[in-house]
């Protein structure tokens, strides 16, 4: 794959890199995306599953759905795209991953600086007293587990529709986006807000925007460079280019 000369020049002088990722980067790990041809929302309704009222109305069903997704995630591994993003840390001192995903795969691939805008499926908390429980601490129960301290219902620590994003994760993401030289937007349809504001604020602050997706999205219009291809194939090729650029520099 030939990359645009302007992109390679930007890569050569960049200091701060941000990756804004969505479900598409985990697709090659076997984790279904939300939209698109075999997306989760084609079969299920987000308002019936990924929101607090749905959980109150039918806690066991929502809990079981997250157990099902956790099982898929535990059987999955980071793919070449996740590992390539972690490899960027060998070439730049400042690499930040801002993800909408809740699957923990960036951490498992070795990325160090990660902001999780929509939470993490491995963490859970009691809706009454707020006590946190990591997945292994939860008793295997039929249906939704109850809090050991107060008996309240335990929910996944993920951001549902209509819920605020974690304040600290969002503000630090915004800061990183506004300071970066290149912002890669990888595997996201960029339709969910306020997360989708993050790459836009990178763009407004002068970052060079590179979109990596298997199709054009609402975001393609803003990108300086839109690369059509699978993240697990394209990102390792960019790391290969980095190796060449750094070899010349030495
Ligand atoms: C908020 C976590 C308000 C849980 C998710 C009505 C009422 C309330 C709010 C709203 C409303 N109408 C609109 C809103 C705002 C709403 C929103 O944006 N809705 C959209 C759908 C219109 N947002 C919210 O509700 C947010 N909260 O607004 O609160 C508020 C304000 C003040 C005070 C109080 C409250 C909360 C949004 C978070 C929702 N949680 N998930 C869970 O995962 O179960 S959303 C869900 O979408 C996931 O988190 C996912 O990450 C996110 C974004 O999806 P993508 O990651 O982009 O995935 P998608 O499938 O869409 O796209 C995949 C892409 O990959 C595709 O482009 C595909 O082409 C590409 N691809 C596929 N394979 C590959 C690939 N690319 C590269 N390589 C490949 N191999
Ligand atoms: Zn409790």
């Amino acid at each position: 794959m030939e990359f645009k000369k302007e992109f390679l020049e930007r890569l050569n002088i960049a200091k701060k890199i941000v990756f804004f990722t969505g479900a598409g980067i985990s697709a090659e790990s076997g984790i279904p995306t939300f939209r698109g041809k075999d997306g989760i929302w084609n079969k299920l309704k987000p308002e019936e599953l990924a929101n607090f009222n749905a959980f109150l109305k039918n806690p066991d069903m929502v809990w079981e759905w997250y157990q099902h997704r956790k099982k898929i995630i535990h059987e999955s591994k980071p793919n070449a795209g996740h590992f390539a993003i972690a490899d960027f840390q060998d070439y730049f001192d400042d690499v930040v991953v801002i993800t909408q995903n809740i699957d923990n795969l960036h951490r498992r691939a070795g990325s160090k600086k990660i902001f999780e805008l929509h939470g993490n499926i491995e963490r859970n908390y009691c809706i009454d007293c707020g006590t946190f429980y990591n997945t292994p601490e939860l008793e295997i129960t039929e249906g939704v587990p109850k809090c050991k301290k107060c008996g309240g219902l335990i929910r996944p620590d993920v951001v549902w529709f209509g819920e605020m994003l974690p304040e600290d994760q969002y503000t630090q993401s915004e800061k990183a986006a506004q300071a970066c030289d290149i912002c890669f937007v990888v595997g996201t349809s960029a339709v969910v807000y306020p997360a989708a504001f993050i790459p836009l604020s990178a763009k407004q602050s002068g970052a060079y925007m590179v979109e990596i997706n298997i199709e054009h999205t609402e975001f393609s219009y803003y990108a300086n460079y839109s690369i059509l291809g699978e993240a697990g194939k394209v990102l390792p090729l960019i790391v290969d280019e980095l190796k060449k650029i750094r070899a010349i520099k030495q």
Side-chain angles (χ1 to χ4, degrees):
M1 173 181 260
E2 282 286 306
F3 293 104
K4 247 174 33 176
K5 197 161 156 294
E6 179 198 42
F7 165 60
L8 297 176
E9 281 158 4
R10 292 284 186 140
L11 211 48
N12 191 19
I13 55 171
K15 295 264 177 285
K16 296 170 183 264
I17 306 288
V18 156
F19 287 93
F20 179 79
T21 66
I25 185 134
S26 299
E28 290 156 88
S29 296
I31 298 177
T33 60
F34 292 88
R35 299 161 190 94
K37 58 181 177 22
D38 49 6
I40 294 181
W41 297 150
N42 296 350
K43 299 177 207 78
L44 302 161
K45 286 212 183 55
E47 45 283 359
E48 281 165 14
L49 286 162
N51 89 23
F52 190 57
N53 295 332
F55 178 69
L56 289 184
K57 219 162 86 199
N58 197 333
D60 290 345
M61 181 191 71
V62 173
W63 180 260
E64 284 315 316
W65 183 54
Y66 279 92
Q67 292 301 92
H68 165 68
R69 288 177 63 196
K70 231 178 272 187
K71 189 166 165 303
I72 297 173
I73 289 169
H74 290 163
E75 287 156 8
S76 316
K77 292 198 276 302
N79 64 59
H82 295 105
F83 287 117
I85 288 178
D87 288 346
F88 260 71
Q89 295 167 140
D90 302 338
Y91 300 93
F92 297 94
D93 298 337
D94 192 333
V95 180
V96 175
V97 176
I98 301 169
T99 188
Q100 301 168 91
N101 300 340
I102 61 172
D103 59 29
N104 223 25
L105 290 185
H106 283 299
R107 190 166 288 107
R108 286 172 56 190
S111 285
K112 300 273 174 288
K113 218 163 162 198
I114 305 170
F115 295 123
E116 293 172 319
L117 295 178
H118 291 160
N120 186 315
I121 201 164
E122 300 307 340
R123 284 193 313 265
N124 313 273
Y125 63 89
C126 167
I127 63 170
D128 291 336
C129 70
T131 304
F132 271 93
Y133 295 85
N134 287 316
T135 298
E137 296 168 80
L138 291 174
E139 268 135 46
I140 312 289
T141 52
E142 254 316 288
V144 59
K146 305 286 184 314
C147 174
K148 291 188 192 105
K149 289 207 179 124
C150 76
L153 296 179
I154 293 179
R155 60 165 282 178
D157 183 17
V158 297
V159 178
W160 280 330
F161 286 103
E163 293 186 327
M164 292 279 280
L165 276 56
E167 187 61 29
D168 64 318
Q169 300 292 298
Y170 193 79
T171 27
Q172 291 183 73
S173 298
E174 223 174 10
K175 223 165 114 223
Q178 287 162 356
C180 75
D181 300 308
I182 300 180
C183 177
F184 290 93
V185 179
V186 187
T188 182
S189 56
V191 296
V192 174
Y193 286 87
F197 284 131
I198 295 292
L200 296 180
S201 75
K203 172 84 184 172
Q204 275 146 17
S205 310
Y208 185 79
M209 310 297 297
V210 184
E211 178 180 46
I212 299 172
N213 200 310
I214 52 172
E215 60 190 14
H216 285 300
T217 68
E218 314 208 343
F219 196 76
S220 308
Y221 165 77
Y222 295 100
N224 297 88
Y225 188 17
S226 219
I227 304 174
L228 282 182
E230 292 184 303
K233 307 242 176 344
V234 171
L235 284 162
L237 293 176
I238 297 176
V239 172
D240 290 347
E241 290 301 328
L242 270 174
K243 284 184 187 133
K244 283 186 224 158
I245 292 170
R246 291 298 152 86
I248 299 166
K249 269 189 171 171
Q250 264 143 14

